[in-house]
Amino acid sequence: MSEFGIFLLKCFYLMLPAYFANMAPVMVKRINLFTYPVDFDKKINNKPIFGKNKTFRGLVFGVIFAIIIAYLQFSLYNVEFFKNISFFNYQNWLLFGFLMGLGALAGDLIKSFFKRRLGFKPGAKFVPFDQTDFVVGALVFIMPIFGLTFEIFVVSLLLSFVLHIIVNHIAFYAKIKSEKW
């Protein structure tokens, strides 16, 4: 594999906790826990702050999923293949997973806030923000502690943009999601 191919794989592997955090709300939508909206149904100028689809269930499970993935990355680090595709050793897996999950979902909430202000309905296309919000959030949250470079940030963002579109289309056609985005 080329040096750039390995770098792409490392960026993908780095982003796994954020990817799972971002997918968690859809994966757990049938679980009847923490179903209350994060914005407590409050409104600004008669528009929801985030919307009824942004619940504590998604937030809690998103962070949990990210922590679980970070723990798996830590557990696999001593396997040569996983060591070679890691930017760091995952010793701080709990902090890493928590920040990736919380950052991913914070990025999604910020995007939803702006979508509501602009009059977009939940699920309406908002390219490129629908594909990048969680990535920017996750990377901004871990950047000060885990020392990401600008190159890692940009490549992870671009890679995630493409993968997000592919995964969401697959989920739509598999009837897991009701929208392609």
Side-chain angles (χ1 to χ4, degrees):
M1 186 181 284
S2 72
E3 199 173 311
F4 183 69
I6 292 169
F7 188 75
L8 281 176
L9 186 57
K10 289 174 93 166
C11 289
F12 173 78
Y13 190 65
L14 172 76
M15 292 304 300
L16 282 178
Y19 294 158
F20 277 85
N22 191 54
M23 291 186 295
V26 174
M27 294 168 69
V28 300
K29 67 181 176 184
R30 291 195 169 99
I31 295 176
N32 219 8
L33 291 171
F34 313 119
T35 58
Y36 208 74
V38 173
D39 64 10
F40 298 100
D41 287 327
K42 301 291 182 202
K43 296 182 179 193
I44 296 175
N45 295 331
N46 221 18
K47 293 179 182 176
I49 296 172
F50 301 120
K52 63 180 166 78
N53 294 338
K54 303 302 175 187
T55 65
F56 283 101
R57 173 184 52 215
L59 186 63
V60 168
F61 281 101
V63 171
I64 289 170
F65 280 29
I67 289 171
I68 290 168
I69 298 302
Y71 177 74
L72 291 173
Q73 289 172 314
F74 165 73
S75 298
L76 293 169
Y77 183 75
N78 287 327
V79 175
E80 195 65 27
F81 173 77
F82 293 104
K83 188 178 286 190
N84 290 336
I85 63 168
S86 298
F87 285 117
F88 49 85
N89 64 17
Y90 293 95
Q91 283 298 120
N92 293 323
W93 62 269
L94 182 59
L95 179 62
F96 176 70
F98 176 78
L99 291 175
M100 285 290 272
L102 189 61
L105 296 166
D108 184 59
L109 285 173
I110 291 167
K111 180 229 25 208
S112 292
F113 175 82
F114 286 105
K115 278 178 83 170
R116 300 301 86 81
R117 304 293 70 72
L118 295 169
F120 286 86
K121 293 186 187 322
K125 293 179 189 176
F126 196 39
V127 178
F129 305 104
D130 288 327
Q131 296 77 23
T132 58
D133 57 351
F134 73 99
V135 178
V136 171
L139 294 175
V140 164
F141 272 49
I142 67 163
M143 192 172 266
I145 296 168
F146 293 92
L148 298 185
T149 65
F150 181 72
E151 182 182 23
I152 293 170
F153 190 98
V154 170
V155 170
S156 296
L157 187 65
L158 294 174
L159 175 66
S160 298
F161 177 81
V162 172
L163 290 175
H164 189 270
I165 292 171
I166 292 168
V167 168
N168 277 286
H169 277 72
I170 291 169
F172 173 77
Y173 290 114
K175 300 190 185 311
I176 296 168
K177 287 188 73 172
S178 57
E179 306 92 19
K180 292 180 188 178
W181 301 94

